[in-house]
Amino acid sequence: MPYITTSDGTEIYYTEHGTGRPIVLSHGWPLSSDAWQVEMKLFADAGYRTIAHDRRGHGRSSKTYTGNDMDTYAKDLAELIDTLDLKDLILVGHSTGGGEVVRYAAQHGKGRVAKVITAGAVPPIMVQSDSNPEGTPIEVFDGIREGVLRDRSQFYKDLSESFYGANREGSDVSQGAKDDFWRQGMLVNLAAAYDCVKAFSETDQTVDLEAIDVPIFIAQGDDDQIVPIGAAAEKAIKLVKNGTLKVYPGAPHGIYGSYQETLDQDILAFIED
């Protein structure tokens, strides 16, 4: 299996399909590159070199105790992209992965990144504060940490319901999709899963968004129960220089079903524009 070894000795797993202009996909918490299986094939079939990696601590990458923070995630991504010498590249990030690609583009990607796409992404900042009243109270994130520590297996099963909107009337989310969320979550080592909560909720990426000078497509469902749209996409679009916002009515946080089909076509259209 393909790996790179970062400057601090962490092994980062990645997978790739196809040839052509590169697209790099960054997954959400607590998932892995497996979350992008549909997009890996779809984008490769459309003529792109499609690459996805497992964030440190997640999936098949090293089970890290240190470096589980947004700065290091972006640095790991930079080392992967530099090793593969990717240029004119498209970055796609979901949830925590949205934060990762935004920080990479702002701090490492000058001259390499052509376009950025985020979906249900955490920037500018999730946690509630006096300056971010639309955010999520810190007690919610404390609850996530407690759930991961106490019984992560059951916690991930429970979280899959709101992640995919399976708790909404009329939902058609399959048991298989929820089971796969649990499967991927169980691959994250506990320290990495725990520390990533702070990374995705308390990292202020206002300056990162302001620094991005390439076109960025910001996508989010208006029924996102994990990352509130009022503290995320609706704020992010006001901070970027060259952004396009699309809100998907009724769509949850997880990329699934008709939302996934529409989003994937919108991503391809944005890339090809």
Side-chain angles (χ1 to χ4, degrees):
M1 293 190 291
Y3 288 86
I4 66 155
T5 302
T6 68
S7 53
D8 72 352
T10 300
E11 289 192 319
I12 300 294
Y13 168 85
Y14 71 96
T15 183
E16 64 174 295
H17 295 332
T19 58
R21 188 181 185 185
I23 300 176
V24 174
L25 301 140
S26 182
H27 62 82
W29 178 94
L31 304 176
S32 70
S33 58
D34 288 354
W36 293 116
Q37 284 290 313
V38 171
E39 288 72 24
M40 290 288 295
K41 176 172 171 27
L42 180 67
F43 297 163
D45 288 350
Y48 294 93
R49 180 184 179 189
T50 309
I51 300 160
H53 68 294
D54 293 352
R55 185 171 301 115
R56 64 169 54 214
H58 298 63
R60 288 138 293 201
S61 291
S62 295
K63 305 308 180 190
T64 47
Y65 178 68
T66 60
N68 304 304
D69 57 81
M70 201 64 76
D71 281 339
T72 309
Y73 297 157
K75 187 172 182 290
D76 290 345
L77 182 58
E79 294 195 35
L80 173 65
I81 289 168
D82 289 351
T83 299
L84 299 178
D85 194 24
L86 305 178
K87 297 173 182 175
D88 192 30
L89 98 115
I90 309 298
L91 292 172
V92 182
H94 172 241
S95 195
T96 302
E100 181 177 284
V101 301
V102 162
R103 177 140 295 183
Y104 168 80
Q107 299 188 10
H108 304 276
K110 196 76 171 179
R112 289 192 182 271
V113 177
K115 291 183 178 180
V116 179
I117 297 103
T118 66
V122 297
I125 186 168
M126 280 188 71
V127 72
Q128 188 179 74
S129 65
D130 290 345
S131 60
N132 187 39
E134 300 85 3
T136 303
I138 189 67
E139 290 79 12
V140 172
F141 301 114
D142 290 340
I144 294 172
R145 282 183 278 259
E146 181 183 355
V148 168
L149 275 178
R150 184 178 64 248
D151 185 350
R152 72 187 193 283
S153 180
Q154 187 60 50
F155 178 78
Y156 292 143
K157 287 187 176 185
D158 294 342
L159 183 61
S160 70
E161 297 289 326
S162 55
F163 186 92
Y164 288 116
N167 55 354
R168 298 304 200 210
E169 186 176 352
S171 169
D172 62 355
V173 177
S174 70
Q175 186 61 48
K178 293 186 287 184
D179 289 348
D180 196 45
F181 179 94
W182 171 86
R183 177 190 68 84
Q184 291 181 59
M186 291 301 290
L187 293 174
V188 188
N189 67 295
L190 187 57
Y194 188 95
D195 290 349
C196 188
V197 177
K198 182 179 179 68
F200 71 63
S201 64
E202 297 183 50
T203 305
D204 189 342
Q205 298 194 252
T206 301
V207 173
D208 293 335
L209 289 166
E210 292 172 339
I212 293 175
D213 57 4
V214 298
I216 179 170
F217 179 76
I218 299 172
Q220 189 162 13
D222 68 0
D223 194 29
D224 191 326
Q225 300 173 64
I226 306 298
V227 178
I229 191 170
E234 290 178 353
K235 284 194 170 183
I237 192 62
K238 298 175 182 177
L239 295 169
V240 296
K241 296 180 178 69
N242 185 9
T244 300
L245 171 65
K246 182 167 181 181
V247 178
Y248 295 77
H253 185 64
I255 301 173
Y256 179 84
S258 60
Y259 168 43
Q260 182 174 33
E261 293 169 5
T262 304
L263 175 62
D264 288 346
Q265 292 306 313
D266 288 343
I267 289 172
L268 285 172
F270 179 73
I271 292 170
E272 294 165 3
D273 184 18

